[in-house]
Amino acid sequence: MKYEIIKNGTDDYTLKYKDKEFNFKTDLKIMSKMQGANKAARTKLVMDLTKQGISMKDLTITKKENGKTYLDNSNKAELEKAYIDDETANVFSEICEEKFGMDLTTLIMDIDLDENEMEKFATELVQALTGKTPSR
């Protein structure tokens, strides 16, 4: 195992890897930032679209077949997901900077995780940062 996330107490955790050890606590500020990522992403999306003279409604494709109207919101959903993923990554990276003194990418590289291990690590770290016990 390249790393270990240990729950020491209710809101107290330790991240261990190589010869490094970081103690961190869950706090309301982190949970608030994580929850605010979706709202911030949607706001940014609407603002970016507005700058281009486009609205969210413009992303919906309307098809009429056999007297019925079908609305396809897949473009809207895909773009919204991309914005949310990007904002969540930015927020998570900021939190890592606060807690570990390095952004998420640097932390992952420092632990020496491969692509397959990155997602599991990120999930476990988010669980710890938001006060949920990691799967270990």
Side-chain angles (χ1 to χ4, degrees):
M1 184 59 54
K2 292 184 180 181
Y3 68 90
E4 188 175 10
I5 298 174
I6 302 161
K7 184 171 184 170
N8 304 314
T10 306
D11 294 326
D12 184 28
Y13 294 85
T14 302
L15 169 63
K16 285 182 169 184
Y17 66 92
K18 296 181 183 174
D19 59 346
K20 298 180 182 177
E21 194 170 303
F22 295 95
N23 292 316
F24 62 96
K25 293 185 182 292
T26 300
D27 58 46
L28 290 174
K29 183 178 160 189
I30 290 173
M31 289 189 275
S32 176
K33 275 185 173 185
M34 296 292 277
Q35 290 170 349
N38 285 0
K39 182 180 177 184
R42 286 187 178 98
T43 301
K44 185 176 180 186
L45 170 59
V46 169
M47 291 176 71
D48 286 352
L49 290 174
T50 301
K51 286 177 191 173
Q52 297 176 37
I54 301 170
S55 74
M56 291 291 275
K57 289 180 183 177
D58 294 328
L59 299 174
T60 300
I61 299 168
T62 305
K63 293 181 184 176
K64 295 189 181 206
E65 291 179 12
N66 301 326
K68 292 184 180 180
T69 302
Y70 297 94
L71 300 177
D72 178 359
N73 288 308
S74 59
N75 289 339
K76 178 179 151 185
E78 191 173 318
L79 189 59
E80 193 173 48
K81 183 182 179 324
Y83 270 74
I84 290 170
D85 288 350
D86 189 48
E87 186 62 27
T88 301
N90 289 339
V91 167
F92 192 42
S93 206
E94 287 173 20
I95 292 168
C96 287
E97 187 74 47
E98 285 176 26
K99 298 293 182 182
F100 310 114
M102 58 188 103
D103 65 19
L104 179 60
T105 303
T106 306
L107 180 60
I108 286 170
M109 288 174 24
D110 198 37
I111 298 173
D112 195 28
L113 298 175
D114 63 33
E115 277 188 49
N116 298 326
E117 297 165 316
M118 286 189 305
E119 190 173 329
K120 183 179 182 211
F121 170 73
T123 300
E124 290 178 357
L125 189 57
V126 166
Q127 288 173 339
L129 287 167
T130 56
K132 297 176 184 158
T133 307
S135 58
R136 293 189 199 292

